[in-house]
Amino acid sequence: YKLAKYLRAVDYLSTKLDNKEGVYTGNIFGEIMYGEQKLLAVKKYIESKDYSLKNSWAYGDHDSDAYLLSKVGHPFAVNPSSKLKHIAIKNNWPVLKFKL
């Protein structure tokens, strides 16, 4: 939420963490945004907005992001794990490297 607010994002999808009186409990609401679940959540969001996966961009750094990256028209592997880098090269996806 704080990052989305900072970036002035109108909408965002994320794992929802339980918070009691300003303290995180360690529990999660709903599904974890990971792997295939992330793709399903994005598909549901895109359908509700009448958008297209083929006209969408996605950025990932872990091989679990390959589910989503494989379905969008503009996938990018950013500082990818070694497995995602291999998948990106195999699929001819751009690999972006940034020094942190």
Side-chain angles (χ1 to χ4, degrees):
Y1 168 77
K2 288 183 180 184
L3 178 60
K5 188 175 178 180
Y6 175 79
L7 295 173
R8 297 184 185 140
V10 176
D11 289 328
Y12 65 94
L13 302 173
S14 69
T15 300
K16 293 176 178 61
L17 304 176
D18 187 24
N19 181 322
K20 299 283 189 213
E21 299 178 16
V23 177
Y24 290 105
T25 66
N27 296 321
I28 295 172
F29 288 123
E31 298 291 332
I32 296 173
M33 292 294 131
Y34 183 85
E36 289 182 85
Q37 184 56 41
K38 186 183 290 188
L39 172 60
L40 294 173
V42 169
K43 280 183 173 181
K44 184 177 177 182
Y45 175 81
I46 282 178
E47 289 170 3
S48 75
K49 298 291 186 178
D50 200 29
Y51 296 153
S52 162
L53 280 172
K54 291 299 173 194
N55 291 324
S56 297
W57 282 253
Y59 302 84
D61 64 353
H62 188 264
D63 55 277
S64 66
D65 295 319
Y67 293 102
L68 178 59
L69 295 173
S70 69
K71 299 300 182 186
V72 299
H74 308 278
F76 291 87
V78 181
N79 292 346
S81 65
S82 59
K83 189 170 181 181
L84 180 59
K85 183 177 179 181
H86 176 76
I87 294 167
I89 290 169
K90 181 180 173 186
N91 287 287
N92 202 31
W93 300 338
V95 175
L96 306 175
K97 295 181 183 179
F98 296 98
K99 290 185 180 183
L100 301 174

